[in-house]
Amino acid sequence: MTITATSDVLTERGEELRSQGQINEDLGKLSDTTVDILRQSGVMKLLAPVEYGGTRAHPVEFAETVMRIASLDGAAGWVSGVVGVHPWELEIMSPKLQEEIWGADQDTWVSSPYAPMGVATPVDGGYQVTGHWQFSTGTDHANWVILGAFVGGADGKPLQPFQSVHIVVPRADYTIVEDSWDVVGLKGTGSKDVTIKDKFVPGYRVINQADLFSGKVAREAGKTDPIHRIPFYSLFPLGLTSAVIGIAEGALHAHLEYQRNRQQGNGFKSTQDPYSMYAVSEAAGEIRASRAALLDNISRIYDTAARGREISLEERAVGRRTQIQAAWRATAAVDTILSRSGGNGLRMNNPIQRFWRDAHMGLAHAIHVPGPTYHAAVLTELGLEPPANLSSMV
């Protein structure tokens, strides 16, 4: 399929995508119409290899596209931000695996999660895998999945010290657990559980997580483009935080549309309430600042990679802090917006409350936990080496 300019598609079909928000939530997964719009937009191809129809775009373009989609429907934006990153990792893996995934269909989606909720035991030619994973975003529309797993011993238990791998598995080898996604927000993402019971995964579909994080996998694959010189935890969180910020922009849009002609109980229009207008304007500024900070951060990291310089631990940690803080600032702004929307803003037929729930669900992702990363960032600024428990996601 030829990629259509994303902005054109989202302009032409933006209101159609917005209208799918409640439908996606009711389904507990993305509707076929939503998936069709996302495929037509080319968002999942932005970070994909050009050999399989991708554009290998600048990460800012990816982030801005995810924000735009999330502002129309939070679930669609979240799926785009998560699933859209996976081709970036797959491009540094085995060419044989890439051909298996995209050779027959370049529109194939690959879901995740990366958390090591399974055990991969080395056997001749690969690994024997068993596990139960939560949070496989967009899994109903994916034909492959990337899963995190601990390397296991002969007893089937994780080896000590822990060693983690990413394994890539076709749809025929895992089971989607229906009715496993009953949550307060981002319901339309269909982030269901998946299970595997004693399946063989050949070695070329497996990479060592430590080697991935250190950049060794990309170097050995001969990938020298700036996008592949960016550390994993500088790029992977980008899609998630972009979705949260886009959701905040969607909440702001819905609030402004609602308030435009809203009559308050005292007989005055909402637009005549200076205190409410001030609060909402301040929230809008916070969302805009969050967006600017996130895009500036990834631009700086990309530019450093493009100059051929390694991104330092301090740059990585401070960058992660910027990314996390952007998500928290944007979500706090959504709280302000909701509190100025009156009781009707919490009615289930008002999209403001759905964006509010989606933002908080996105903020709950492990990638947005501030404590360890904030601690690690300030230690690096002091010239100190943060311990592994603080820097593991930096």
Side-chain angles (χ1 to χ4, degrees):
M1 181 187 77
T2 301
I3 294 179
T4 305
T6 308
S7 58
D8 292 343
V9 172
L10 296 179
T11 297
E12 295 168 5
R13 303 188 68 182
E15 290 307 311
E16 185 181 6
L17 179 56
R18 195 193 306 277
S19 73
Q20 295 297 300
Q22 189 60 52
I23 295 171
N24 294 332
E25 178 157 283
D26 293 341
L27 288 172
K29 63 180 182 180
L30 297 186
S31 67
D32 291 342
T33 297
T34 299
V35 172
D36 179 63
I37 294 172
L38 296 186
R39 291 191 191 281
Q40 186 182 0
S41 77
V43 61
M44 302 304 186
K45 301 289 194 67
L46 290 175
L47 300 182
V50 294
E51 295 83 357
Y52 292 100
T55 59
R56 204 179 283 138
H58 193 290
V60 165
E61 182 180 353
F62 174 67
E64 290 183 325
T65 302
V66 171
M67 289 177 190
R68 173 62 176 150
I69 293 170
S71 74
L72 297 167
D73 173 50
W78 187 265
V79 172
S80 298
V82 175
V83 177
V85 168
H86 296 153
W88 167 77
E89 177 179 348
L90 292 167
E91 186 176 358
I92 65 174
M93 294 185 69
S94 164
K96 181 177 180 180
L97 172 61
Q98 295 174 47
E99 180 63 22
E100 286 180 334
I101 295 173
W102 294 307
D105 182 4
Q106 294 184 354
D107 286 328
T108 297
W109 289 9
V110 182
S111 61
S112 46
Y114 291 121
M117 301 181 212
V119 176
T121 302
V123 294
D124 187 30
Y127 295 81
Q128 208 69 17
V129 179
T130 294
H132 186 140
W133 291 261
Q134 296 178 312
F135 310 117
S136 184
T137 292
T139 198
D140 286 291
H141 304 286
N143 291 325
W144 290 75
V145 65
I146 304 173
L147 300 169
F150 288 121
V151 177
D155 60 358
K157 297 180 180 179
L159 294 173
Q160 298 286 344
F162 291 125
Q163 303 173 43
S164 296
V165 291
H166 287 184
I167 61 175
V168 187
V169 183
R171 182 66 172 268
D173 288 351
Y174 61 93
T175 300
I176 297 173
V177 182
E178 297 296 339
D179 301 321
S180 58
W181 186 238
D182 185 14
V183 288
V184 70
L186 294 175
K187 296 179 72 172
T189 65
S191 301
K192 301 173 183 176
D193 296 9
V194 299
T195 63
I196 295 177
K197 179 65 175 177
D198 200 29
K199 290 289 186 179
F200 173 74
V201 179
Y204 68 88
R205 295 183 189 161
V206 180
I207 55 172
N208 180 279
Q209 181 175 276
D211 291 344
L212 170 66
F213 291 174
S214 71
K216 180 180 178 181
V217 176
R219 289 192 298 272
E220 291 185 346
K223 300 296 182 180
T224 58
D225 292 293
I227 192 71
H228 292 298
R229 294 175 58 86
I230 296 177
F232 179 87
Y233 275 117
S234 296
L235 190 68
F236 168 61
L238 180 66
L240 306 183
T241 306
S242 295
V244 171
I245 292 172
I247 289 167
E249 292 173 334
L252 177 62
H253 175 271
H255 174 85
L256 295 178
E257 288 298 300
Y258 171 59
Q259 294 284 38
R260 192 180 306 278
N261 298 306
R262 180 185 170 209
Q263 197 85 13
Q264 294 181 337
N266 58 10
F268 291 95
K269 289 185 176 181
S270 294
T271 54
Q272 295 174 296
D273 178 355
Y275 306 104
S276 178
M277 292 296 99
Y278 176 92
V280 172
S281 186
E282 186 173 48
E286 284 292 285
I287 295 169
R288 178 65 65 89
S290 298
R291 178 191 184 98
L294 184 70
L295 297 179
D296 174 74
N297 183 60
I298 193 61
S299 290
R300 289 174 181 271
I301 291 172
Y302 182 91
D303 290 347
T304 299
R307 290 194 296 269
R309 184 171 68 78
E310 183 178 354
I311 290 87
S312 69
L313 179 61
E314 179 179 344
E315 288 170 319
R316 286 157 46 197
V318 170
R320 278 278 282 125
R321 183 178 63 195
T322 299
Q323 165 254 316
I324 292 171
Q325 190 175 48
W328 280 79
R329 288 178 71 180
T331 303
V334 177
D335 288 343
T336 297
I337 290 167
L338 184 75
S339 70
R340 298 307 193 279
S341 296
N344 286 325
L346 285 165
R347 292 187 183 277
M348 296 306 289
N349 64 354
N350 191 321
I352 297 172
Q353 53 76 32
R354 188 177 68 248
F355 282 115
W356 177 70
R357 288 184 288 109
D358 287 350
H360 279 277
M361 190 70 185
L363 195 64
H365 192 285
I367 212 70
H368 290 134
V369 174
T373 300
Y374 281 25
H375 193 167
V378 76
L379 288 178
T380 63
E381 290 175 313
L382 289 167
L384 302 174
E385 183 85 12
N389 67 308
L390 300 181
S391 61
S392 62
M393 296 179 72
V394 169

